[in-house]
Amino acid sequence: MAPLHALVYQSQATRPLDANDLDRLLLDARVANELADVTGALLHGGQRFVQYREGTRADVEQIYARIARASQHHRLEILEQGRVEKRLFQRWHMGFATAPQTLVQQLSQSQWRREIPWLEDESAASSGLTRLLAFWKEEAVLAH
């Protein structure tokens, strides 16, 4: 089995995204990530995204290259990347700092919220996961 690799990045939306934009992004990402066997989480708050990806290095880099070409965001900045001992996510998740607007978003948010307690317990194992959770907490405070 190939070693696992994780990559965490942040970016800024190029324009305000409506519910339909977010649904398309969510559904497209789910398909692409599943085909590449990449798991992780994408968090959206305000106009910002933070994403944690894990899989083989080649698969993670393939997905990141696809993400870098996307027109919905810019100012991509890799915050951290490197080898990880195990997957922290069994699936790909998307969480929202503000209330989800559609059923697709509500289901993703529900799935994300179920993972948070377990992820907080695992955060010491990955500074990338720590960054992801810090973004989540910061955006949740700003949203309320």
Side-chain angles (χ1 to χ4, degrees):
M1 177 185 265
L4 291 172
H5 183 81
L7 182 144
V8 181
Y9 79 89
Q10 66 183 3
S11 65
Q12 181 80 30
T14 53
R15 62 178 175 74
L17 300 175
D18 65 22
N20 291 329
D21 294 327
L22 290 170
D23 279 358
R24 274 192 301 277
L25 185 152
L26 176 61
L27 296 171
D28 288 348
R30 278 193 185 276
V31 170
N33 293 330
E34 192 164 323
L35 289 173
D37 195 27
V38 170
T39 57
L42 171 64
L43 300 183
H44 176 261
Q47 293 296 101
R48 298 186 321 156
F49 294 99
V50 173
Q51 190 156 193
Y52 176 99
R53 293 276 182 237
E54 59 193 12
T56 67
R57 184 178 188 127
D59 292 340
V60 168
E61 288 177 351
Q62 171 195 346
I63 292 294
Y64 183 75
R66 179 182 181 273
I67 290 166
R69 292 188 302 271
S71 62
Q72 294 97 332
H73 63 160
H74 61 159
R75 297 186 187 144
L76 276 78
E77 176 187 0
I78 294 176
L79 302 174
E80 184 175 326
Q81 65 177 321
R83 189 174 178 166
V84 292
E85 295 301 314
K86 64 179 183 175
R87 284 188 193 261
L88 297 172
F89 294 89
Q90 296 306 308
R91 294 182 180 87
W92 183 81
H93 302 280
M94 185 168 182
F96 301 87
T98 56
Q101 301 172 32
T102 67
L103 180 58
V104 171
Q105 293 172 26
Q106 289 170 12
L107 292 171
S108 290
Q109 181 78 341
S110 174
Q111 187 179 33
W112 167 250
R113 286 190 182 277
R114 281 192 305 271
E115 296 289 326
I116 290 173
W118 181 83
L119 294 170
E120 288 175 333
D121 290 345
E122 292 288 326
S123 65
S126 167
S127 58
L129 181 57
T130 301
R131 286 177 182 257
L132 186 76
L133 291 169
F135 172 81
W136 171 256
K137 290 174 184 172
E138 174 188 325
E139 285 299 319
V141 167
L142 292 174
H144 292 22

